[in-house]
Amino acid sequence: MIRKFTMGAPIETQAVVKEFAANEIGSFPFDYKVENGKFIFGFDMQKNDIVYGLGEAPRGINKRGWVYESFCSDDPFHTETKSSLYAAHNFLMLSGSKLFGIFIDFPAKIRWDIGFTTDSRTEISIDGTDFDIYIIENSSPREIVREFRSAIGKSYIPPFWAFGYQQSRWSYPDKKAVDGIIDGYDKAQIPLDCVYLDIDYMESYKDFTVDENKFSDFANYVAEKKKQGIHLIPIIDAGVKKEEGYSVYEEGRDKGYFCKTEDGSDFEGGVWPGIVGFPDFLRKDVREWFGSKYRVLTDAGIDGFWNDMNEPAIFYSTKQLNKAIEKASSLKGKNLDLSQYFELKDTFTGLSNNPLDYSSIYHTLDGKQVCHDRVHNIYGANMTKAAGEFFEKEFGKGKILMFSRASYIGAHRSSGIWFGDNHSWWSHILLNLKMLPSANMCGFLYCGADLGGFNENATRDLVLRFLALGVFTPLMRNHAALGTRDQECFRFERFEDFRDIIQVRYRLIPYLYDTFCKASENDDMIFRPLSFDYPDDRLACECETQLMLGEECMICPVYEQNVGGRYVYLPEDMTFVKLSGTRVKTEPMTKGIHYIEVALNEVPLFIKKDKKIPLCDPAMRTSQLDTSNLEYIG
Ligand code: GLC
C-alpha cells in the first residue's frame, strides 16, 4: 500500500508515474514540525533496525550512523565522511521493529540524519514546505521495493551489447589511440565491446562537434569500428561553450534556452570549454532542442552516450571569479597575516560548485522564474530526459545506450548511471558493491563504477579484483583519469589473468542479461542485501561485503590487497564456484563462515543448493556469443 501526502504546491518532478490521491499533511503518520521554512519529521529506531536506501550515496548498505544530504554534488573524493555523491535518490526504508518505505519527491536539499545525532532516531529535514511524501507499506523489504518501483515506472533496459566489456580513458584523443586500444585487446584475445570517447574527441570541448583533425570522416570511422564489433561511446557535457559562430550556442542564446541570472541575462559558468551556457533542461522546449542535437552523432552511427557534468558542475562563475581576482589584486604587495592569506586562498578554492552560484541561477518553470536551489536535484535528470525522449522517439525503447552522472529517481526509466569519479583505492571496491542494492531500490539497474578506479594510479592486482566484481555489474567499464597510469587490461604484465576474468563476464552474459530484464519487468532488484533473503539470520543482516544476485547466486568479491582470499558467510548450504576463463571449479559448502581461496585470475561465486545457472562459451564480442549453446553449473 502506498499513501501520498502533499504539502503546499510541489514542483513536478515526474518521478512517480502512477496516480495517487493526495492526503492532507495533517494526517501524516509521523511527528513533524515546520521550522525556519523546513519540514522536519522522523522516527525512532530499535537497536537491530536496519535503514536501507538513498541509492548512490556514501557508506554502508545499512545507512545508520551517519548524516546524508540529497544534493547532487560534483565531488571526486568519495570518502566516508562525505554526505552526498552525484545523485539524489530520496528513498529510505526502515526494516526491523517496523517496516515501511518513504519516498520524498522534492527536488531541493534534504538532510537525512540516520542515527547521527541520536543513535536511536532518524530525523529528516526537507529544505522547504512544498513536496509529496509517499509512505510505502508491505510484507517484506523486497515487496516494499517492488511496490515503490511499480509507482515510479519500469527501469531502463540498454541494448544487449551494453553488457559487454567496455574500455574508457580520459581521453583517447584520436583514431590512432582508439585503434590502438582495440588492437591491444584483440591481440591479447581479451573480449571488448565498447571504447569511450571522452571530451577530447570534440572541437574545443563543444558538445555535438567532432574534431576533424583527430577523427576525420567520423561516420565512416564509426561504421568501420561497428564492422569490427566495437561501439564508440562519446561523452556529452551539460554546458554549451559560449562561442560566436558555434551554432548550438548561438541558437541556445538567441532562443533564450540557457539558464538565467536574476536580471534575465544568461548565467555564465566555466567548465571544460571555458565559459558555457547551461541549457534550462527543465523546460520541455529546451529538452526537445537539446535532445535533437544528439542527431549529429546518431546520424554518424553512434548508438551510445554518457551524459556528464550535469549536477551541474561549475568550476567557476564569471561573477565570482572576477570578485576573487579583484580581491587578489587589492591585496597585491600587502603583508598578509595567516588568516588573510587563507581567506584569499579559500576565495579561489571555493569557486567550484559555489552555493552562491547555484542560488544565482534561474530556471523558467511554467513561465515563472524559479531559483536553481529549489530544483537543483532534477537538473541532470532532465538532461538525461532530453536525450532519452529523443532516442525513444527516433529509435524506440532501449536501442541507445545512455547513462548519466547526476540523477534523480524517474531518470531510471530512460537511462543508467555510473558512480562518478572514484579512486583507485581498495576501499572503493566495497563502496561500489554497497551502492548496487541501494541504487536498485531506486530503480537504477544499469549501473556500475569506474572499474580499476578513476583517480590516481591503479595497481595490477587492484584492477583485477575490481574487475572480478565488475563481472557482475550491468555496466562493466574500466575508466581512468587524465594523467594516471594506463589501466587497460592488455597493458599489464601477464595480461592472461585479465582475459580469464573478462571471459567469465562473457560466459555469464546470458544469465546476467536475463536476470536484468526480469528485474526490470518485475520491478525487482538484481542485487539484494543478504538480509532481504535471510531476515532472521543476524550474520546475514549485518553482512556488508556480499550480495545476493538474482534468485540463484551470492557474490563476494575479494577487496583487500595482498590476500589470497577472504572470509565469507553462507546463510545456507551453497555451491562455491570459481570461474576463470573457461575453467569452472565447484565445491559444496555448508552454512556458516568459511575462508575461500581466490587467485587473482578467478571470479568467486556462490550458487544456492537447488539452483543452477547457465554459461555460454566466451567470445571476443557480445555479437559473437552463441547464447543457444549453454552449459549449466551449480
Ligand atoms: C568528469 C567525469 C569523468 C570524465 C572527466 C572528463 O570528471 O566524471 O568520467 O573522464 O569529467 O570528461
Side-chain angles (χ1 to χ4, degrees), residues 115-150:
F116 174 72
T117 305
T118 308
D119 62 11
S120 60
R121 182 141 179 100
T122 287
E123 193 110 313
I124 301 167
S125 171
I126 303 177
D127 202 2
T129 50
D130 300 285
F131 54 77
D132 291 315
I133 300 184
Y134 298 81
I135 308 288
I136 306 125
E137 279 159 312
N138 211 312
S139 53
S140 68
R142 194 163 173 187
E143 286 306 321
I144 287 190
V145 170
R146 283 203 188 109
E147 177 125 28
F148 172 55
R149 294 263 306 279
S150 77

Side-chain angles (χ1 to χ4, degrees), residues 144 171 216 257 320 366 448 629:
I144 287 190
S171 281
S216 58
Y257 285 164
Q320 299 299 334
D366 302 325
N629 184 15

Side-chain angles (χ1 to χ4, degrees), residues 170 198-199 235 272 306 308-309 405 418 421 454 479:
W170 174 17
D198 206 326
I199 46 176
I235 195 168
W272 305 124
W306 45 316
D308 191 22
M309 308 301 273
R405 198 169 74 172
W418 94 100
D421 299 347
F454 176 76
H479 181 46

